[in-house]
Amino acid sequence: MNSLLRQQILDLQSVSEKLEPSGVKLENYFSRIHGFSHNYLDELKTKKAWVNKDEPNVSDLNLKTDPSLENVLKTFKEQVIDQGLVPSSGGHLGYIPGGGVYLASLGDYLAAISNEYAGMVYPSPGAAAIENNLIHWMIALFGFPKTAVGNLTSGGSIANLIGITAARDSKQIKGDKIPKSVVYVNKHLHHCMLKAFRIAGLEDLDIRYVNLDQNHRMNPEHLDSLIKADIEKGLIPFLVIGNAGTTDTGAIDPLEDLGKIAQKYNLWYHIDGAYGGFFQLTETGKEKLKGIEMADSLVIDPHKGLFLPYGIGAVLIKDASAVLHSNHYIANYMLDAYEEDSFHNSADLSPELTKHFRGMRMWLPIKMLGIEPFISCLNEKLLLAQFLWESLEERGFQMGPKPELTVLYFNWNFNENSEINNELNRKLLEEILKDGRVFLSSTIINDIFVIRVAILSFRTKLSTIDLCLEVIEEAKLKVMEMAANEAMD
Ligand SMILES: Cc1ncc(COP(=O)(O)O)c(C=O)c1O
């Protein structure tokens, strides 16, 4: 009986062993992946940022077994990499570009190979220490008190969700209080915040859109008067959300003034710095982000401002008890991992329990390169944005405000009729994307269609911006020709 069981186990083992390749097979995998990655980085130098296929081909991305890594890599290249947006390209100047610094990918690789778990100190004190050190580095960078806590999340959306739930719990916004509660925002706040309200059960609260100035920044006097009026009406103002760089326009709200008003009325102050927060590392950014230290909760995104691959955001919160309320739990099956001082356990500060050891991708490049190259890269982006804005203005484009950081927008005045002009500027963007050497995106500002440029890829260089200007000029001429032909018809 026992020998039969042994044989059954060994039979299964002969198949399950495939999950642990070794020897020549392992070497073969390594060398092919290594070669593939290096070709990828080589090709990136000349590759378009946007490859538009009328009919994307994704036919071979099914789960049919194919043991040949050669085949799989070929399919991956043709059907994943060679179509759509190329996020790792320096020509990615749309939305908010991400990064992908090489050493971060090696950090990810080591994290995945070792599968260390950083959520708790008990099973992996080293991994937890790496993540805690990163959090404490950010706490110091943003002038938060040493008692603040933080968490490395999957990105800005979850980081903002954690901030909003902490605000809710700290101010005890629940039950009957929700429909009477009011939050004050910039109409350009990121939509993940609106999602966060719904997820956090706050859908029924009132949202007040504070007037903006010409540079799309919240007007503090208007905020003050809105709060006053709401208090007089018997409502419960509880949260002010400021932006350290909006996605739409890159505007930085007057963070210090908003902070003073939040303090005056005892409101929770949340700042979304997912896009612009890490400019705090630069002299220019630090000056512009003055007041960021006043936030009760702050979101920053290393997969944007530190050029890391997608999948790492961060939230810092001053009042630990607010974030522990929703996220700290003692389960019987985890009593042996529980410690008195659970601030060291990131699992107690986030809805996530088991998660990728994402701190490794941030720690490895900073550890090996120091922070200087990141600061130079941020400064370089600030100057590139200024250079592009000035160059476009010189060429006669209608410009949005000078970039606070590295987002700017523009359009061309093809036609006096605003609807026709919007249409022609849509065509301008279409032509830019047809070319594909750079990728830009658009937004609507006060009913006007504008083209945005967001410079945050570490691979965007002066040559990329020269190329961008060339592509925009060529596309503009095409649209002018198109419009002239249509007028003649
Ligand atoms: C200002 C801002 N907040 C939040 C987010 C959401 O972050 P994520 O996409 O990492 O979830 C973004 C994304 O671009 C953003 O620009």
Side-chain angles (χ1 to χ4, degrees):
M1 170 64 190
N2 195 270
S3 64
L4 179 63
L5 195 53
R6 286 181 70 85
Q7 192 50 51
Q8 280 176 332
I9 293 170
L10 291 175
D11 288 348
L12 288 172
Q13 184 177 308
S14 68
V15 183
S16 69
E17 264 170 1
K18 286 189 181 177
L19 297 176
E20 184 74 285
S22 59
V24 176
K25 195 162 230 170
L26 197 61
E27 282 304 317
N28 187 21
Y29 285 166
F30 271 136
S31 69
R32 281 187 197 280
I33 289 288
H34 182 257
F36 182 88
S37 316
H38 285 257
N39 283 345
Y40 178 83
L41 291 177
D42 252 8
E43 281 182 15
L44 203 52
K45 292 174 193 145
T46 50
K47 201 179 172 74
K48 289 188 170 186
W50 173 248
V51 189
N52 195 8
K53 297 225 166 110
D54 289 341
E55 299 221 1
N57 179 13
V58 291
S59 56
D60 291 335
L61 297 173
N62 51 40
L63 292 178
K64 216 169 108 214
T65 305
D66 183 346
S68 156
L69 183 56
E70 185 97 35
N71 288 350
V72 173
L73 288 176
K74 184 167 175 287
T75 306
F76 176 62
K77 176 163 169 33
E78 288 171 1
Q79 301 194 12
V80 179
I81 284 178
D82 287 349
Q83 48 189 14
L85 176 62
V86 181
S88 50
S89 161
H92 176 14
L93 304 166
Y95 313 120
I96 301 293
V101 296
Y102 186 73
L103 285 171
S105 72
L106 297 187
D108 266 352
Y109 181 73
L110 293 173
I113 282 281
S114 63
N115 208 18
E116 286 290 333
Y117 172 59
M120 293 191 164
V121 173
Y122 173 72
S124 185
I130 282 184
E131 295 205 343
N132 280 328
N133 287 345
L134 291 168
I135 294 292
H136 285 292
W137 173 68
M138 290 186 276
I139 282 174
L141 174 65
F142 290 99
F144 270 41
K146 285 202 174 99
T147 48
V149 294
N151 196 264
L152 295 179
T153 62
S154 59
S157 299
I158 300 301
N160 274 307
L161 174 64
I162 293 174
I164 298 301
T165 50
R168 178 200 64 189
D169 294 349
S170 164
K171 300 294 177 190
Q172 308 230 337
I173 307 298
K174 51 187 170 183
D176 294 348
K177 270 172 103 177
I178 296 173
K180 290 192 208 141
S181 299
V182 193
V183 42
Y184 302 85
V185 303
N186 181 324
K187 71 174 175 189
H188 292 146
L189 91 163
H190 195 272
H191 71 277
C192 71
M193 220 70 74
L194 303 168
K195 282 167 56 171
F197 293 149
R198 291 187 199 156
I199 297 168
L202 299 174
E203 189 171 354
D204 292 335
L205 51 67
D206 262 329
I207 299 179
R208 299 264 184 274
Y209 293 98
V210 177
N211 288 347
L212 305 183
D213 67 14
Q214 281 190 329
N215 292 334
H216 313 296
R217 299 178 297 212
M218 279 155 84
N219 174 330
E221 286 80 36
H222 187 229
L223 170 66
D224 195 293
S225 67
L226 285 174
I227 298 174
K228 232 186 256 161
D230 284 333
I231 293 171
E232 276 163 22
K233 280 187 235 156
L235 298 174
I236 311 167
F238 93 100
L239 169 64
V240 177
I241 300 180
N243 297 277
T246 61
T247 316
D248 257 321
T249 71
I252 300 174
D253 286 317
L255 300 179
E256 200 169 9
D257 292 344
L258 300 189
K260 283 183 189 154
I261 295 171
Q263 274 174 2
K264 175 173 157 193
Y265 294 102
N266 193 24
L267 271 55
W268 185 277
Y269 186 27
H270 177 82
I271 296 181
D272 180 6
Y275 152 58
F278 274 110
F279 284 96
Q280 176 83 354
L281 284 165
T282 68
E283 285 305 314
T284 313
K286 199 168 178 183
E287 190 54 39
K288 293 192 177 206
L289 297 172
K290 227 162 150 190
I292 202 164
E293 70 287 350
M294 297 171 85
D296 293 297
S297 48
L298 168 66
V299 166
I300 51 238
D301 243 2
H303 70 188
K304 297 184 176 73
L306 283 186
F307 321 113
L308 303 184
Y310 291 148
I312 183 164
V315 59
L316 307 178
I317 296 174
K318 283 184 184 154
D319 177 5
S321 64
V323 69
L324 288 169
H325 177 78
S326 279
N327 299 295
H328 176 55
Y329 209 86
I330 303 173
N332 285 349
Y333 44 80
M334 287 179 50
L335 279 177
D336 39 7
Y338 174 73
E339 290 176 18
E340 267 310 304
D341 187 359
S342 70
F343 297 168
H344 299 300
N345 286 337
S346 71
D348 288 322
L349 301 167
S350 143
E352 290 184 281
L353 179 59
T354 312
K355 60 177 182 174
H356 178 65
F357 173 24
R358 47 180 76 109
M360 193 61 192
R361 58 162 59 178
M362 181 167 166
W363 181 77
L364 192 73
I366 297 180
K367 177 86 183 159
M368 290 181 61
L369 305 174
I371 202 64
E372 243 355 277
F374 293 88
I375 299 177
S376 291
C377 200
L378 288 164
N379 274 318
E380 183 189 18
K381 305 308 150 216
L382 288 169
L383 295 186
L384 287 174
Q386 196 183 320
F387 173 76
L388 179 62
W389 190 93
E390 286 172 10
S391 307
L392 286 168
E393 198 203 26
E394 248 170 49
R395 286 164 167 76
F397 284 86
Q398 304 186 128
M399 302 306 297
K402 278 194 176 177
E404 283 267 30
L405 297 169
T406 62
V407 172
L408 56 104
Y409 67 85
F410 67 93
N411 68 9
W412 184 260
N413 188 17
F414 292 103
N415 195 295
E416 290 311 314
N417 177 306
S418 61
E419 268 179 40
I420 298 176
N421 204 47
N422 278 351
E423 214 30 61
L424 289 169
N425 275 287
R426 272 198 188 91
K427 288 215 158 61
L428 175 59
L429 181 58
E430 267 170 42
E431 286 302 323
I432 292 168
L433 297 187
K434 251 189 227 167
D435 178 286
R437 283 176 289 168
V438 293
F439 177 81
L440 309 186
S441 60
S442 68
T443 188
I444 310 275
I445 304 288
N446 302 327
D447 294 329
I448 296 172
F449 178 91
V450 294
I451 300 177
R452 294 170 66 258
V453 185
I455 303 177
L456 203 58
S457 162
F458 70 107
R459 293 198 174 101
T460 302
K461 300 287 164 199
L462 188 54
S463 57
T464 328
I465 298 303
D466 288 338
L467 180 69
C468 179
L469 284 163
E470 188 184 315
V471 173
I472 293 171
E473 271 299 335
E474 286 175 18
K476 184 193 85 187
L477 292 178
K478 280 189 188 147
V479 176
M480 279 175 156
E481 209 176 304
M482 227 184 280
N485 288 343
E486 271 172 27
M488 275 163 57
D489 287 345

